[in-house]
Amino acid sequence: MRIGLSDMVVKPLGVGAMAWSKSPRWGYGADLGAKDVRVAFQVSLEAGLTFFDTAEIYGRGQSERILGRLANNHTDGIYIATKYAPMPWHFTASAIKKALNNSLQRLGREQIDLYQIHFPMSWAKIESLMDVLADAVEAGKIRYVGVSNYSSDQMRRANDALGKHGLPLVSNQVEYSLIKRGPESDGLLAACQEMDICLMAYSPLGRGVLTGKYGPGKGPSDLRRFYGQFRGKYLASVMPLVKALEEIGENHGDKTAAQVALNWLARKPGVFPIPGAKNETQARENAAAICWNLDQEEVERLDNLSAIFL
């Protein structure tokens, strides 16, 4: 697939590097380490997954540094995306330029393939942000511009602002999964498809809920335990969907629930899931999620079971 109106042609699945750091907030876990991440990166590449997404705030820059070290040993055909966070102390034109230069340094690159605004903030005018990023494209520091967590209206404003510079908005990265189907009900998916903007789906496995690993009375022990989707009543409501994912997976040669959930997303026009992969097992499982296809009856079954999450 092509990432929006860019020249980046990729397999219909990317790799999220949020957990590629040693930070307690974002870290890859006490039982994992740098070697696991390195193998996950290599396995992903061998499977043809060439798009890697990170952000300046992931591990306070550690994720960018780790990804940069890994990617710079394989410079051909790899696309790197990162994000700038417009915080109250960090949103002027000079701050954006400084943040971009810092990301370039951490990544060890002269140019970033896709530079994204991480989230909208009232104090950071969308048009002003796009003007600064357009200048960065002209300066050769970034190739394409994207946004994240933008509504349809905010996305259109960003696209219009870039259009005045002769540039397209390439992507909008939002949470989207079988249990987070908001992009369908609020019109964002339709708007992305209309405007040829790639909808990058983060947390495509519902932060782990759709893997079948969790259930009522059996949640994660890390910070995710405070998220609403890990409350007992909510988890109970997801179990029929998880059971269907497992049954469908069995019918396709013992595919996992996670692979079925990713396949459901990857089938949608213009949607690009970017699941995390912090070890070899996850990387191999993710890559194998797009080597087959759900049939229409299975898609409809999942659509119906997850309709409560629209």
Side-chain angles (χ1 to χ4, degrees):
M1 69 172 290
R2 187 179 300 275
I3 303 296
L5 294 174
S6 76
D7 64 359
M8 294 184 287
V9 178
V10 295
K11 286 197 172 184
L13 195 76
V15 181
M18 185 180 73
W20 290 12
S21 78
K22 297 179 181 178
S23 164
R25 173 65 178 87
W26 309 107
Y28 38 56
D31 57 337
L32 298 170
K35 179 180 179 181
D36 298 280
V37 172
R38 185 168 63 252
V39 173
F41 176 83
Q42 188 61 45
V43 166
S44 297
L45 278 187
E46 291 171 356
L49 305 186
T50 56
F51 186 97
F52 297 83
D53 177 78
T54 184
E56 64 174 1
I57 65 173
Y58 296 164
R60 298 180 180 179
Q62 288 185 46
S63 175
E64 287 184 327
R65 292 189 186 94
I66 292 170
L67 177 56
R69 286 196 295 270
L70 294 171
N72 286 338
N73 292 322
H74 306 272
T75 55
D76 295 333
I78 290 180
Y79 301 116
I80 300 296
T82 192
K83 310 180 200 71
Y84 151 77
M87 305 304 286
W89 58 89
H90 186 55
F91 73 95
T92 62
S94 60
I96 300 170
K97 293 175 183 177
K98 182 178 180 180
L100 173 56
N101 288 334
N102 288 341
S103 286
L104 285 165
Q105 183 178 27
R106 286 189 291 266
L107 288 164
R109 295 200 155 208
E110 295 183 355
Q111 186 181 61
I112 293 168
D113 296 297
L114 178 62
Y115 197 60
Q116 306 154 98
I117 304 298
H118 206 147
F119 36 75
M121 285 295 181
S122 59
W123 52 75
K125 187 178 177 182
I126 291 173
E127 290 75 11
S128 298
L129 292 174
M130 295 303 114
D131 288 344
V132 176
L133 297 190
D135 289 342
V137 172
E138 184 176 355
K141 293 189 175 182
I142 60 178
R143 297 181 62 218
Y144 296 105
V145 178
V147 294
S148 182
N149 298 303
Y150 272 41
S151 68
S152 297
D153 178 65
Q154 291 165 334
M155 182 178 71
R156 289 182 186 277
R157 286 174 57 190
N159 189 56
D160 289 345
L162 286 171
K164 293 178 181 179
H165 298 272
L167 299 172
L169 181 71
V170 165
S171 61
N172 188 2
Q173 187 177 142
V174 299
E175 186 169 6
Y176 185 26
S177 71
L178 276 162
I179 59 170
K180 291 288 184 179
R181 293 180 63 185
E184 297 174 53
S185 58
D186 64 17
L188 180 62
L189 176 58
C192 285
Q193 292 170 340
E194 170 201 338
M195 301 165 67
D196 286 328
I197 293 172
C198 177
L199 191 156
M200 292 191 182
Y202 71 77
S203 297
L205 298 177
R207 305 181 192 273
V209 171
L210 294 171
T211 66
K213 183 178 179 180
Y214 306 111
K218 188 177 66 172
S221 58
D222 56 28
L223 289 176
R224 287 176 299 168
R225 67 185 184 275
F226 297 113
Y227 296 161
Q229 59 258 56
F230 292 103
R231 292 173 183 164
K233 186 176 180 180
Y234 184 91
L235 281 176
S237 71
V238 178
M239 289 305 101
L241 175 60
V242 171
K243 183 179 180 182
L245 291 171
E246 293 172 342
E247 290 174 354
I248 291 170
E250 290 176 4
N251 293 335
H252 283 273
D254 291 326
K255 296 295 188 294
T256 66
Q259 289 173 320
V260 177
L262 290 175
N263 195 281
W264 178 85
L265 267 180
R267 284 173 50 96
K268 295 185 176 295
V271 175
F272 185 57
I274 49 172
K278 59 186 180 182
N279 58 40
E280 179 179 1
T281 300
Q282 291 180 354
R284 292 193 185 281
E285 183 176 356
N286 290 348
I290 55 172
C291 300
W292 54 284
N293 284 308
L294 294 165
D295 62 39
Q296 188 58 37
E297 183 178 342
E298 292 166 335
V299 171
E300 291 175 359
R301 180 184 179 190
L302 295 175
D303 286 346
N304 292 333
L305 284 170
S306 64
I308 61 173
F309 304 110
L310 277 166

